[in-house]
Structures are given as structure tokens and as C-alpha cells.
Amino acid sequence: MSKSFKQKAITGVAWTSVERFTQQIIQFVIGIAIARILAPQDYGIIGMTAIFFAIATTFIDSGFGSALIQKKDRNEIDYSTCFYFNILVGIVIYAILWFASPAIADFYRTPILCDVTRVLGLTMLVNSLTISQTAKMTAEMKFKEMAIISIVTQLLTGIIGLYLAYCGWGVWALVFQQLSSSVARLLMMELFLKWYPKWIFSKVSFLHMFSYGSKILCSSLINTIYDNLYTLVIGRAFSAKEVGYYNRGNQFAMLPSSTLLSIFMKVAFPLMAEVQDDVDKLRTAYKKFIRVPCFLLYPILFGLMALAEPLILVLLGEKWLPAVPLLQVLCIGTFFDPLTHINLNILYVKGRTDLVLRLELIKKPIAFILLFSMIPLGLWWLCFGRAIYGFIAYCFNCYYTGKFINFGFWKQLYYNVPVLVKSGIMGGLCYGCLYVFDKPLVQLLVGIIVGVISYFIMVVMTKDETFYDAVSYTHLRAHETLRHLV
């Protein structure tokens, strides 16, 4: 890769890492504090609405944000056209949510869901105003500004949610936390970007973006329904409390994966779009973007599975212990998330969203069969079926990567087995700490220390390429900084 490409990649990853890790730390700390105040049922009520708002969010974007980033000759006409289209969709979606809210409440036999849905629906209107701006900042690689927006927004709205929970607002603390987050993000984005749409709506521009985005919309819609169908099924077949256990376990399991993916995918898409016509450069970039997330994610997931019980006891308390086995099995499925998403990214970069849709139409019937066949077996088996599907989805998504850049399933497997083995050994050592110590806090702290040290030793002994690349880059940057200071 060229020096400028590497520099863009490193700078983008650095600022996006600052954004995501800081945001997740704030969210994690404040989320734990709120969870200690609120009951599992409060989270369950919010979880029951998840599928409806996830679908609504998918429609509001409609793939137009990705279309703007992928388009090399994008202009103000494209941004304005996208802006007005998203606003129209936002208004329609909110109207649908408003009138559907009584039916949602009746479906779950939870009357408060009617009002909760109508208030939370306002976030859809606000979010529809930010699609073009987000795409513009991403395409222009303004990751520093995006990091500041996310961090400040997360901190302010986290404090609002914590204060309302402390004041006894219950589930409404979570509702207004989400609503204030959307409003704060819109205001912060306006402050930094200072972009205003032109009074232009181009039919040509719309049709171009619709051609690209409509396939993303369809595939995202299928995927979104599946991802959130678990909450709907659990809420219907079990109880709000078990929805809360599932959501909390899923949040812990998804936190490392979603954080790393949001960092690398945000940077990978615009950068790989730059070299979409050069197969060799695209393959090299792909290898870099797939190796680092796995190097960081696998040890975290093994450690999370090993230390799940003391983690839940220390952070949330004994009332959340039923979430432990759910957390452990859900971690298994998230092993394949980086590989699955980055494989699909090749198709987005190449403009082959039709193939993305084709893959979803093949994969999701398998996913639905697994889901509904596991319902009679209980909640843990539902989660286990989801983990199985994670591997199946990865296998399918590898196919076109092998076709386009000659880096398919077996080559990817060979590429990532070393870090998987080292992470597994590390997880076993962490789990051994549970038998040596009795107190949960001690188990957790010692387990983390043992995990970090053992993984570092194995990485150094095996001369891991990713680790030494990071060390070389850090040494080079430190040397350049010192030279400028002198």
C-alpha cells in the first residue's frame, strides 16, 4: 500500500478508536450505574421495541449513506437529494410507528409500550436529518470531528439517563436518554460541519443512489429483522425479565465485536473504495483490515467467556446471574463477526450490492429454521442456534471474496488460526483463576491480569506479525515526534 493510503488508514483508525473506546467506556460505566438502579423489566420493555426501531432505522437510511460514500464523483446535488429523501422517509416512518404503537403494546401485553413507542419514535425524525451529514464526514474522512461529536454526545446523554434513573423515572430514563442522544448528535454535527442542503432534488441522482442503496435496504432489512427477532420471540414466548437477561448478555457479548467493527468498517469502507479497481491493492488492504480486529477481539471474547460469572456479579449484582450462560454462548457467535462483515464489505466496495442481497436470501432461511426449531428447547438453545448461524453466515460470505480477490475461506482460516489458538490458551488460563480464588472481584482482577500477560508472552514468542507491525509504527511515530521536538 502507498504511504498516503497507510497514513489515511492509520489516522482514521486512530481517531475512530479514540471515539469508540471512549464512547464505550462512558456507555459502559454509566450503563452499569443505571442497571444497578433500574430493574431487568425496564430493559426488557426497551428491548421489546428494538425490532421495530431497527427496521425503522434501516428504512430511513435506505442504503443512501453507503451509496454516497461509494460514489467517487459525489457532489452537492447528491447530498441534497439524499437529505430530502431521508426526511420524507423519516416522517412516514414516524407516522407508521405512532399508529402502530397500540398494536405493539397489545402484542406484548404491555400497555406502557404504546407511549414508549411514540416518544422513542421521535428519534427516527431526528436521525433522518443526519444521514447526508454523516456520509459527508465519512467520505471526507473527518474522523477527528466525528470522534468529538460522539464522545460529547455520549457523555451528556449518559448523565441525563443516570439522573433520570436516580430520580425514579424507571423505563423513561432509558427512553429520554436515547431521544436526547439523537438531538445532541444533530446539534453537534451542525456545529462542526456547518453544511446546509441546497434547494435541489435530482431525479438522476436519486435513481443512481436508489439503484445501489435499494439492494442494501433489502439485505439490511432481512438482516435487521433476523437480529432483532430474538427479542421479539423471547418477549412473546417468555417474559420481560428474560428479555432483559438476553439483552444484557447480548450487549456484553456484542460490545467488543461491535466496537472493533465500528472502528475498522468506518475506515475500511471509504479507503477500500479508493482502490476498488486495483485487485492487488484491495487484497492487501483487506488482509490488514481483517487481521487487526481478530488479533484484538479473540482474546477479549475468550476472556469474557471464562470470566463471565465474576464479571456479572461485580458489575451488575446477583440479580443478573441468569444472564451468564447466555453471555457465554453468545460470545461464540461473535467470533465470526469481523470476518463476516469485512467479507461483505468487498461487495459494497465493488458496487455489487445485488450479490449482498443474494447472500441474505440464501442465508436467512437457514437462520429462521435454526431460530424457530430452538424455541421449544429454551432460551439458552435459542442463543446457541444464533451462534451456529454466525459460523454459517461467515462460510457463505467468504465465497465472493474468493472470487473477487482470491482470498476465500481456507486462506482466511489459515490466516487467522494462530491468533485463535493463542487466544484459546489464554482463555483456559483465565478460567483456571476461578478455581484458585473465591471472591468474584479477585477472580475478575487476577483473571484479567493473567490473560493479558499470557497473551502478550505468546504474541512475543511467536513473533506475531500484527503485534510487530504495531510496535514498528509506534517506534517510527515516536522517533518522528522526538525529531521535530529537537
Side-chain angles (χ1 to χ4, degrees):
M1 291 185 291
S2 66
K3 185 176 180 180
S4 61
F5 190 93
K6 286 183 178 180
Q7 190 62 42
K8 288 180 182 179
I10 292 169
T11 302
V13 169
W15 275 111
T16 310
S17 298
V18 170
E19 172 192 350
R20 291 302 299 172
F21 283 116
T22 305
Q23 186 180 18
Q24 292 292 357
I25 289 171
I26 295 171
Q27 184 178 354
F28 184 77
V29 172
I30 294 179
I32 293 300
I34 295 176
R36 284 185 167 273
I37 299 172
L38 301 182
Q41 290 92 326
D42 295 323
Y43 285 91
I45 291 171
I46 295 296
M48 289 173 177
T49 67
I51 186 170
F52 305 105
F53 286 102
I55 293 173
T57 300
T58 302
F59 273 107
I60 287 175
D61 179 81
S62 297
F64 276 46
S66 297
L68 282 172
I69 297 171
Q70 193 270 345
K71 195 172 187 283
K72 284 187 173 183
D73 58 346
R74 70 189 80 87
N75 54 40
E76 288 299 315
I77 295 176
D78 297 319
Y79 286 117
S80 299
T81 301
C82 176
F83 181 82
Y84 293 122
F85 171 73
N86 291 139
I87 290 177
L88 176 62
V89 175
I91 293 171
V92 172
I93 290 297
Y94 182 66
I96 293 173
L97 287 171
W98 176 276
F99 290 110
S101 57
I104 294 172
D106 290 341
F107 176 80
Y108 285 114
R109 299 183 292 272
T110 308
I112 195 175
L113 275 174
C114 180
D115 293 332
V116 167
T117 302
R118 287 176 173 176
V119 177
L120 269 181
L122 293 172
T123 61
M124 299 296 101
L125 282 175
V126 179
N127 291 341
S128 69
L129 300 173
T130 65
I131 303 299
S132 291
Q133 293 92 318
T134 302
K136 185 175 180 64
M137 295 184 80
T138 302
E140 295 174 0
M141 300 184 189
K142 293 185 176 180
F143 297 114
K144 177 181 177 180
E145 291 82 356
M146 295 174 74
I148 296 172
I149 291 171
S150 295
I151 292 169
V152 173
T153 298
Q154 191 68 49
L155 183 60
L156 290 176
T157 57
I159 293 172
I160 290 173
L162 181 59
Y163 175 75
L164 294 177
Y166 179 77
C167 291
W169 283 51
V171 67
W172 291 105
L174 302 175
V175 171
F176 286 108
Q177 182 184 14
Q178 291 188 30
L179 180 57
S180 62
S181 178
S182 296
V183 174
R185 186 172 182 272
L186 172 62
L187 296 176
M188 289 286 293
M189 192 167 287
E190 178 60 30
L191 178 66
F192 277 89
L193 191 59
K194 292 182 173 61
W195 176 83
Y196 302 97
K198 297 183 180 298
W199 290 102
I200 299 173
F201 186 92
S202 169
K203 181 179 178 180
V204 174
S205 176
F206 172 79
L207 291 176
H208 175 83
M209 288 187 286
F210 182 79
S211 176
Y212 180 94
S214 60
K215 284 89 172 182
I216 294 180
L217 171 61
C218 293
S219 58
S220 297
L221 187 60
I222 295 169
N223 201 47
T224 298
I225 291 173
Y226 169 73
D227 286 342
N228 291 275
L229 193 60
Y230 279 83
T231 301
L232 186 147
V233 168
I234 295 168
R236 181 66 178 176
F238 300 97
S239 68
K241 181 179 288 188
E242 286 175 296
V243 173
Y245 292 140
Y246 169 80
N247 280 350
R248 181 54 61 181
N250 192 47
Q251 285 171 3
F252 274 109
M254 292 297 297
L255 180 62
S257 176
S258 62
T259 300
L260 290 171
L261 277 175
S262 64
I263 292 171
F264 286 93
M265 293 298 288
K266 183 184 288 188
V267 179
F269 187 32
L271 282 176
M272 292 171 73
E274 285 188 2
V275 295
Q276 58 184 280
D277 300 322
D278 190 320
V279 174
D280 292 332
K281 287 184 178 180
L282 186 58
R283 181 170 53 248
T284 302
Y286 174 84
K287 287 182 178 180
K288 293 294 183 183
F289 279 117
I290 204 173
R291 179 182 283 273
V292 179
C294 294
F295 175 81
L296 298 172
L297 178 63
Y298 287 171
I300 294 174
L301 289 176
F302 271 110
L304 197 55
M305 287 190 290
L307 303 174
E309 185 171 332
L311 178 71
I312 293 296
L313 283 172
V314 171
L315 296 181
L316 301 179
E318 192 172 346
K319 66 181 179 180
W320 287 96
L321 272 179
V324 169
L326 307 182
L327 164 60
Q328 291 171 324
V329 71
L330 287 168
C331 280
I332 298 173
T334 59
F335 271 98
F336 309 102
D337 281 355
L339 306 173
T340 298
H341 286 82
I342 298 178
N343 273 285
L344 278 183
N345 201 44
I346 293 293
L347 299 181
Y348 288 127
V349 166
K350 285 288 189 179
R352 296 302 306 270
T353 52
D354 58 319
L355 298 180
V356 176
L357 178 58
R358 180 185 297 178
L359 283 172
E360 293 303 325
L361 292 174
I362 295 172
K363 294 183 298 183
K364 285 308 181 284
I366 300 173
F368 291 135
I369 291 172
L370 280 170
L371 168 61
F372 290 107
S373 64
M374 295 293 180
I375 292 175
L377 302 179
L379 188 53
W380 186 90
W381 285 98
L382 274 175
C383 297
F384 182 68
R386 182 168 183 173
I388 293 174
Y389 172 71
F391 176 71
I392 294 173
Y394 164 58
C395 293
F396 276 105
N397 288 355
C398 286
Y399 176 76
Y400 287 113
T401 306
K403 292 288 185 181
F404 281 111
I405 63 172
N406 191 27
F407 195 69
F409 176 82
W410 292 109
K411 290 183 179 179
Q412 291 184 34
L413 185 64
Y414 177 78
Y415 199 63
N416 289 296
V417 160
V419 69
L420 187 62
V421 172
K422 284 178 281 194
S423 301
I425 295 172
M426 184 220 74
L429 295 173
C430 291
Y431 188 72
C433 296
L434 303 184
Y435 295 95
V436 179
F437 304 97
D438 295 326
K439 294 184 178 180
L441 181 59
V442 177
Q443 291 175 334
L444 182 61
L445 293 177
V446 175
I448 292 173
I449 293 171
V450 169
V452 171
I453 293 175
S454 61
Y455 189 65
F456 176 77
I457 291 173
M458 286 185 287
V459 162
V460 173
M461 290 179 62
T462 57
K463 297 181 180 180
D464 189 278
E465 179 184 337
T466 303
F467 175 74
Y468 280 97
D469 281 349
V471 170
S472 298
Y473 174 75
T474 303
H475 181 268
L476 178 62
R477 296 295 295 174
H479 178 72
E480 290 179 354
T481 303
L482 182 61
R483 186 178 61 186
H484 287 306
L485 290 174
V486 173

